[in-house]
Amino acid sequence: MEFSIKSGHPEKQRTACVVVGVYEPRRLSDMAKHIDDQCDGLLSNMLRRGDLEGKIGQTLLLHNVAGTLADRILLVGCGRERELGDTQYQKIIEKAVNTLNEMGAMETVCYLTELNVKGRDIYWRVRHAVEMTANTLYRFDQLKTKKDVTRRPLRKIIFSVTSRRELPLAEKACHEAQAIAAGVKLAKDLANLPPNICTPSYLAERAHNLCHIHKNVSCEILDAEAMQALGMNALLGVARGSNEPAKMIVLNYQGTKKSQPPIVFVGKGITFDSGGISLKPGLDMDQMKFDMCGAATVFGAFTVAAELQLPLNLVCIMPCTENLPSGHALKPGDILTSMSGQTIEILNTDAEGRLILCDALTYAERFKPEAVVDVATLTGACIVALGRQPSGLYGNNPTLINELITAGKNSADRVWDMPLWDEYQDLLDSPFADMANIGGSEGGSITAACFLSRFAKKYHWAHLDIAGTAWYPRSTKRVTKGATGRPVPLLVQYLLDKFHTEPTAVEIDNEE
Ligand code: BES
Ligand code: MN
Ligand code: ZN
């Protein structure tokens, strides 16, 4: 897909299709009015006759409209103008893009970026239009021998801005959005790959390949022997049941002076989670190939930072292994000594994410980080608590927590702050070791976060439980099921906000 920005009136565009909005009830947007003026009120007449109410999800396609130079005009319903917020805007773009892709106009000039979205500036509107377009057109068909081909797919989309003054900001938005979209696509592709292809070794190879693309990227892969030497027995305990060698992947991007403490992202990379000896039920077990979405998304965010050459230092740590049962596998009752020295009694081998993450969190200490954010499909309980809209957010530093909440709102990749109170810590007590690896049946997402917090005491730390946001399950009513690429947009927004002087978007409190 090719994206670009321009300013100019819709009736003057010589293109396959011009896209303009219509509000409910039957009200033309400013750009639609421009066209209406050129064609003797053709559009307003159609609305009066009831051809289009303007509800979100409605469209009307017109051919050869007099007074315009485009082959077609696509009218897109935008709902009530006063109610147009982030969610509505995304639905409008999604509908427009799907319609354009199916109708055979390969090139289009889209005026929906000029809509008045509550509290959002041109940077935000262009950024999300580009990201949403890429998301809408995403398909994972690498492994299908017969692909669903669109005969004349959408190839080029030009987003419009009202005045030339807005061009620089809109172009910046377009550039950053394309990098983010590429990072999201990478995360989705890795996560959608089957677990027989996407193994820890495969991820290590893909990470290693990044070194050849950017000169300020380096990659280190720790194998079982190296991890043994470091005392990563919690991670190695999980890996014991599998024949695939475990890998700890460490990516390093240096975008500013070496002395600047890095941000560290840690991503859970269980390439398949069967539960181990505490075997999961068979139904939907295939979905546990997505248990490496934490790793896939920090990988995706990493490539965006490198692509945009952000002026910061970033380290990504991806502990990767399978969780399988075997004669060598970890058992309930086993006690492991983690790299931190703390001992862990295993009560359930299906609580494996925290075991690989705790050693990665200890390893992160050596980078003397400014902040550490771990990302993990950690608990089914998080889905029970929050559903599938926000990722669960925990942390030990209020500033970091607020930065992530703000980044979530501005990137439309939201998080919800969860409690990490001392009272919950007691649930992890074990009579035989420093702690148990599970905290009982209640508050499962919280006790998992409590477990991790014990390994993150030496720096500012946040944890994202993405169990509900990382993929669309089979049951969802969507064309594209599978990985969402979340929270790549959130992580990148967090990085962008670190040094953007001008606000990238107006922050408004519209959800509490
Ligand atoms: N990867 C799963 C969590 C998960 C389950 C994410 C379903 C998304 C959908 C994790 O390793 C796990 O199995 N967690 C257990 C923890 C329990 C044993 C304390 C869970 O959530 O059931
Ligand atoms: Mn598990
Ligand atoms: Zn898991």
Side-chain angles (χ1 to χ4, degrees):
M1 258 306 273
E2 199 186 313
F3 295 98
S4 56
I5 308 292
K6 104 187 204 187
S7 82
H9 285 180
E11 67 278 8
K12 306 241 175 70
Q13 306 303 325
R14 201 178 288 282
T15 176
C17 188
V18 159
V19 185
V20 290
V22 173
Y23 293 113
E24 192 183 349
R26 304 176 300 280
R27 279 189 44 232
L28 296 173
S29 63
D30 289 349
M31 287 302 131
K33 270 185 214 141
H34 264 289
I35 299 177
D36 200 42
D37 292 345
Q38 303 298 318
C39 58
D40 296 328
L42 175 74
L43 305 192
S44 36
N45 281 335
M46 284 185 163
L47 296 194
R48 213 169 302 122
R49 271 184 266 143
D51 289 77
L52 188 71
E53 185 61 25
K55 286 189 198 302
I56 292 179
Q58 292 182 324
T59 57
L60 185 63
L61 183 62
L62 311 174
H63 292 268
N64 307 318
V65 174
T68 69
L69 296 176
D71 300 339
R72 312 166 180 81
I73 308 279
L74 178 66
L75 303 179
V76 179
C78 297
R80 292 186 188 273
E81 188 170 13
R82 276 195 309 131
E83 290 167 12
L84 180 46
D86 298 4
T87 316
Q88 290 75 12
Y89 183 68
Q90 292 196 337
K91 281 192 185 146
I92 294 163
I93 300 286
E94 185 177 9
K95 180 69 194 182
V97 168
N98 274 329
T99 310
L100 288 164
N101 195 44
E102 280 155 22
M103 86 192 174
M106 299 174 78
E107 188 210 276
T108 177
V109 184
C110 177
Y111 286 82
L112 298 174
T113 34
E114 295 191 22
L115 292 172
N116 187 12
V117 185
K118 266 186 277 180
R120 297 305 190 181
D121 63 2
I122 188 66
Y123 174 91
W124 191 94
R125 297 194 310 266
V126 169
R127 217 189 81 192
H128 288 275
V130 172
E131 283 183 39
M132 198 63 205
T133 302
N135 265 331
T136 305
L137 296 176
Y138 177 84
R139 297 287 182 278
F140 183 79
D141 56 9
Q142 295 176 29
L143 300 169
K144 283 188 185 280
T145 53
K146 290 195 190 68
K147 311 205 195 289
D148 257 345
V149 278
T150 307
R151 205 175 55 83
R152 288 168 58 83
L154 184 59
R155 284 272 160 72
K156 183 171 176 191
I157 184 157
I158 303 161
F159 289 111
S160 169
V161 297
T162 331
S163 78
R164 300 191 62 81
R165 266 192 315 120
E166 291 183 323
L167 280 175
L169 205 52
E171 261 150 18
K172 182 172 174 221
C174 187
H175 175 64
E176 292 180 349
Q178 286 181 76
I180 295 170
V184 167
K185 178 175 170 7
L186 172 63
K188 287 184 186 179
D189 283 345
L190 289 175
N192 286 332
L193 280 170
N196 59 324
I197 295 179
C198 188
T199 58
S201 303
Y202 177 85
L203 285 171
E205 193 188 318
R206 293 288 300 262
H208 188 78
N209 288 343
L210 284 185
C211 307
H212 308 307
I213 303 176
H214 305 281
K215 63 177 189 318
N216 51 356
V217 165
S218 60
C219 177
E220 194 184 353
I221 315 284
L222 308 182
D223 58 11
E225 203 182 328
M227 291 190 268
Q228 192 114 50
L230 287 162
M232 295 183 168
N233 300 310
L235 190 157
L236 291 170
V238 176
R240 261 176 15 208
S242 163
N243 292 341
E244 284 292 334
K247 307 278 172 185
M248 175 86 93
I249 305 169
V250 185
L251 278 167
N252 203 310
Y253 162 75
Q254 197 195 325
T256 185
K257 53 187 191 309
K258 256 210 169 84
S259 58
Q260 177 80 26
I263 308 285
V264 176
F265 291 157
V266 177
K268 172 178 172 181
I270 295 288
T271 59
F272 187 72
D273 181 11
S274 71
I277 295 295
S278 314
L279 194 64
K280 286 181 181 296
L283 183 71
D284 284 345
M285 202 202 265
D286 61 293
Q287 308 256 324
M288 282 299 122
K289 71 172 184 178
F290 293 120
D291 213 17
M292 39 61 77
C293 281
T297 52
V298 302
F299 196 139
F302 183 90
T303 61
V304 181
E307 181 63 33
L308 293 175
Q309 287 289 305
L310 299 184
L312 46 81
N313 296 329
L314 179 66
V315 174
C316 281
I317 306 176
M318 294 166 266
C320 299
T321 176
E322 294 180 332
N323 182 25
L324 293 181
S326 90
H328 297 286
L330 200 58
K331 304 173 289 297
D334 283 358
I335 294 181
L336 303 173
T337 303
S338 66
M339 182 180 173
S340 72
Q342 299 177 89
T343 57
I344 305 162
E345 184 188 14
I346 308 305
L347 294 183
N348 190 319
T349 64
D350 198 8
E352 84 298 338
R354 60 200 81 183
L355 297 174
I356 66 168
L357 289 168
C358 72
D359 282 342
L361 288 171
T362 303
Y363 187 75
E365 287 171 10
R366 67 185 50 211
F367 298 103
K368 308 209 170 8
E370 179 189 322
V372 176
V373 182
D374 79 67
V375 185
T377 48
L378 202 60
T379 64
C382 189
I383 314 177
V384 176
L386 295 175
R388 296 188 181 274
Q389 301 309 317
S391 304
L393 170 66
Y394 300 85
N396 63 11
N397 177 267
T399 309
L400 176 59
I401 289 175
N402 282 325
E403 285 170 346
L404 287 165
I405 292 173
T406 303
K409 287 178 186 167
N410 285 336
S411 60
D413 186 356
R414 287 174 298 177
V415 297
W416 193 259
D417 189 17
M418 298 281 281
L420 193 64
W421 300 330
D422 285 342
E423 287 82 346
Y424 291 107
Q425 293 280 355
D426 301 344
L427 296 168
L428 294 170
D429 283 352
S430 154
F432 303 114
D434 296 343
M435 69 193 89
N437 80 326
I438 57 169
S441 59
E442 299 176 352
S445 176
I446 302 172
T447 50
C450 284
F451 181 96
L452 296 179
S453 74
R454 297 173 179 218
F455 301 84
K457 292 218 159 100
K458 299 210 173 128
Y459 43 68
H460 293 169
W461 160 79
H463 157 61
L464 294 166
D465 194 332
I466 60 165
T469 52
W471 74 90
Y472 299 113
R474 226 190 311 275
S475 55
T476 42
K477 290 192 229 122
R478 286 186 59 91
V479 193
T480 46
K481 305 186 196 309
T484 61
R486 290 179 67 184
V488 171
L490 164 74
L491 295 174
V492 175
Q493 189 69 50
Y494 165 73
L495 296 179
L496 287 173
D497 291 348
K498 286 245 155 265
F499 59 86
H500 262 186
T501 43
E502 60 208 352
T504 57
V506 185
E507 192 205 329
I508 46 164
D509 250 62
N510 56 2
E511 68 186 314
E512 284 93 352

